[in-house]
Amino acid sequence: MTDGSRPPARPGAGRPRPPLPGGPYLVIGLARSGVAAAEALRARGEEVIGCDTRAGRAGSDSELDRAAQRLSRAGVEIHLDASGSAVAARAGTLIKSPGVPQNAPSVVAARARGVPVLGELELAWRLVFNEFIAVTGTNGKTTTTEWIGHVHRTAALPVAVVGNVGTAASTLAGTISPETTVVCEASSFQLEDTVAFAPEAAALLNLTPDHLDRHPTFDDYVAAKLKIFANQGNDDLAVAPADLGIEDLGGCARRVLFGAGDGDSLELSDRAGYLWWDGEPLIAVDEIALPGAHNRANAMATAAVCLARGIERDAVAEALRTFTGVAHRLEAIAVRDGVSYVNDSKATNVASAIVALESYDGGVHLIAGGRGKNQDFSPLVEPVAQRCRAAYLIGEAADELAVALAPTGVVLHRCGDLERAVAAGASAASAGETVLLSPACASYDQFPDFEARGDRFRALVRGL
């Protein structure tokens, strides 16, 4: 039955949206989000100009060329290897892809002229009039977003899962039925570009330092994350862990807290071997499909969002038992000669890599590195020392990681690229051990994104 103290889930049209500011629209950054934004605007008959500076980035040229050709056929005016500054004077509104920094010349110039700057998530929300559930946090976003989607499918409720998980939210414009709930993963890059974005339900999972190469300080990073709640109203939901350490989340939504123990403030709690909701056990902890304390927290956030929206308890419990996880997050690829190969390419920060390492008792051959994000690698020392046989370092951050991990006493191999790292790890690992790709770094030095890095790891493993 549905919890009688709350209204049942009511999929349908969301709150009224502010109108889009006028065009022409200058879309800066033509990766996945930018392409989706440009196509959505062109479908409305708008004049769209697309710019990208990525020409020459490793691994991106063919992807960029294909995107440019596709947009050009749709009637978008394309400028490659260009910042957009040259055509910024023609723009009525600038649409910023999340990968474009705030200090990009075209963005600075647009704001100086008083031109509205919207992120792709804000644009999508203004074009898609469905109810939104948004999920953010340093770690666990993808898993929790997909898990919430799985709950809706288990409950036979129409759902679309989009955002930072892979499918840009703008692709939904004009394509989904009004009763479909949109579940959207939202990164700090996306949220900092929001203006009026106000999801009917929002969840913040956790906060640890990340992306400090982009956000000037940790406080700036936190402020970007908290924008997920800023515009919510009294009828909305704001879900967060009780131990987050932030007294005021912002906005006016009803607070739904989860965590361990039986405190009065907890609506969903982890105690006595069960997850509890409204004073009744929901599911035994050992029945949760995904292992680990981090996934227990993800399960609590998932359940809290869905139960607070009125989805039936039985459907939520069943979905917590049956969710199989997501690609690139502790994804078991294969077992070769007794050696397990695990793709955790989604671990683009130190905290996420630590979670991965703590999922294994030992015998780990860690592949780490990529593009650093001005983060402190020293917290890796203890888990690497305790659990790793060796570490294979790749990418721009290899030397920095080598210095940070020197106190571990673990053998460190500077491999340069993923191909050499996989070959070296496979050669050294013994039956019962694990070759784990958990980079603790961004992928942009050698790959377009973490998915491409994970896909390459998968292909290398299958080719062994």
Side-chain angles (χ1 to χ4, degrees):
M1 288 183 60
T2 304
D3 179 0
S5 64
R6 292 175 176 78
R10 57 192 200 299
R15 61 167 51 81
R17 312 298 204 238
L20 285 182
Y25 295 90
L26 174 60
V27 178
I28 302 295
L30 300 181
R32 185 163 40 205
S33 294
V35 169
E39 289 182 329
L41 289 166
R42 279 298 299 148
R44 290 166 48 94
E46 306 288 356
E47 180 182 353
V48 182
I49 307 163
C51 296
D52 200 295
T53 62
R54 285 182 300 157
R57 177 186 288 181
S60 68
D61 286 350
S62 60
E63 175 196 11
L64 178 57
D65 290 342
R66 288 193 297 270
Q69 292 166 12
R70 173 174 160 181
L71 292 177
S72 182
R73 288 193 296 268
V76 177
E77 178 184 327
I78 298 296
H79 297 262
L80 296 184
D81 201 15
S83 68
S85 298
V87 291
R90 295 167 49 196
T93 299
L94 186 146
I95 306 297
K96 188 170 89 59
S97 296
V100 176
Q102 297 291 342
N103 61 359
S106 55
V107 177
V108 173
R111 288 199 165 111
R113 291 179 51 239
V115 172
V117 177
L118 303 182
E120 184 270 336
L121 177 58
E122 176 80 20
L123 173 71
W125 179 74
R126 295 195 191 195
L127 296 179
V128 179
F129 302 104
N130 300 55
E131 288 195 353
F132 269 65
I133 300 172
V135 180
T136 197
T138 304
N139 295 304
K141 297 186 297 296
T142 302
T143 296
T144 303
T145 301
E146 294 284 4
W147 214 335
I148 292 170
H150 180 65
V151 172
H152 281 71
R153 289 186 286 270
T154 302
L157 295 170
V159 68
V161 178
V162 294
N164 204 45
V165 295
T167 301
S170 294
T171 62
L172 300 180
T175 68
I176 62 171
S177 59
E179 68 273 13
T180 300
T181 297
V182 177
V183 186
C184 180
E185 178 184 347
S187 70
S188 62
F189 294 177
Q190 292 169 310
L191 288 168
E192 71 175 355
D193 292 327
T194 56
V195 177
F197 179 62
E200 280 72 20
L204 174 59
L205 307 178
N206 46 60
L207 286 169
T208 56
D210 194 16
H211 296 301
L212 299 185
D213 57 334
R214 169 78 171 259
H215 302 288
T217 68
F218 181 56
D219 286 343
D220 292 316
Y221 172 69
V222 172
K225 291 290 193 183
L226 291 179
K227 290 188 75 173
I228 200 170
F229 302 123
N231 300 312
Q232 287 187 299
N234 294 331
D235 295 331
D236 299 326
L237 298 170
V239 175
D243 62 356
L244 190 63
I246 296 176
E247 185 173 337
D248 182 11
L249 298 178
C252 300
R254 168 192 161 202
R255 304 296 189 247
V256 178
L257 301 182
F258 64 88
D262 56 359
D264 293 339
S265 65
L266 297 177
E267 293 203 52
L268 193 143
S269 61
D270 172 10
R271 56 188 170 89
Y274 287 84
L275 299 188
W276 296 71
W277 175 256
D278 272 359
E280 296 182 10
L282 174 69
I283 184 176
V285 167
D286 60 10
E287 293 183 77
I288 296 172
L290 302 183
H294 61 295
N295 279 320
R296 190 181 306 176
N298 295 337
M300 284 192 284
T302 296
V305 167
C306 295
L307 291 166
R309 294 186 71 248
I311 295 180
E312 294 184 352
R313 295 174 66 104
D314 288 348
V316 174
E318 179 64 16
L320 295 185
R321 294 186 187 99
T322 57
F323 183 59
T324 57
V326 298
H328 309 295
R329 191 68 181 106
L330 291 176
E331 176 190 9
I333 300 299
V335 178
R336 297 278 187 269
D337 297 325
V339 177
S340 298
Y341 293 83
V342 177
N343 170 22
D344 195 42
S345 183
K346 186 74 167 62
T348 61
N349 58 63
V350 168
S352 191
I354 290 172
V355 166
L357 288 168
E358 290 178 345
S359 300
Y360 302 92
D361 293 331
V364 174
H365 293 257
L366 174 66
I367 300 174
R371 175 164 292 173
K373 298 189 284 186
N374 290 344
Q375 55 186 332
D376 179 9
F377 290 120
S378 64
L380 287 168
V381 169
E382 183 175 350
V384 167
Q386 291 178 349
R387 290 171 167 81
C388 290
R389 292 277 189 267
Y392 308 84
L393 309 179
I394 64 174
E396 292 176 359
D399 289 343
E400 187 180 356
L401 274 165
V403 172
L405 297 180
T408 64
V410 168
V411 177
L412 306 176
H413 303 274
R414 288 180 174 84
C415 294
D417 57 35
L418 191 56
E419 286 76 7
R420 293 186 182 91
V422 170
S427 177
S430 302
E433 297 180 342
T434 301
V435 175
L436 169 67
L437 171 65
S438 193
C441 292
S443 59
Y444 302 129
D445 55 339
Q446 296 178 332
F447 298 93
D449 48 43
F450 74 83
E451 292 103 327
R453 179 171 60 189
D455 290 343
R456 182 57 180 155
F457 177 77
R458 188 187 295 115
L460 290 168
V461 169
R462 288 175 176 167
L464 290 173

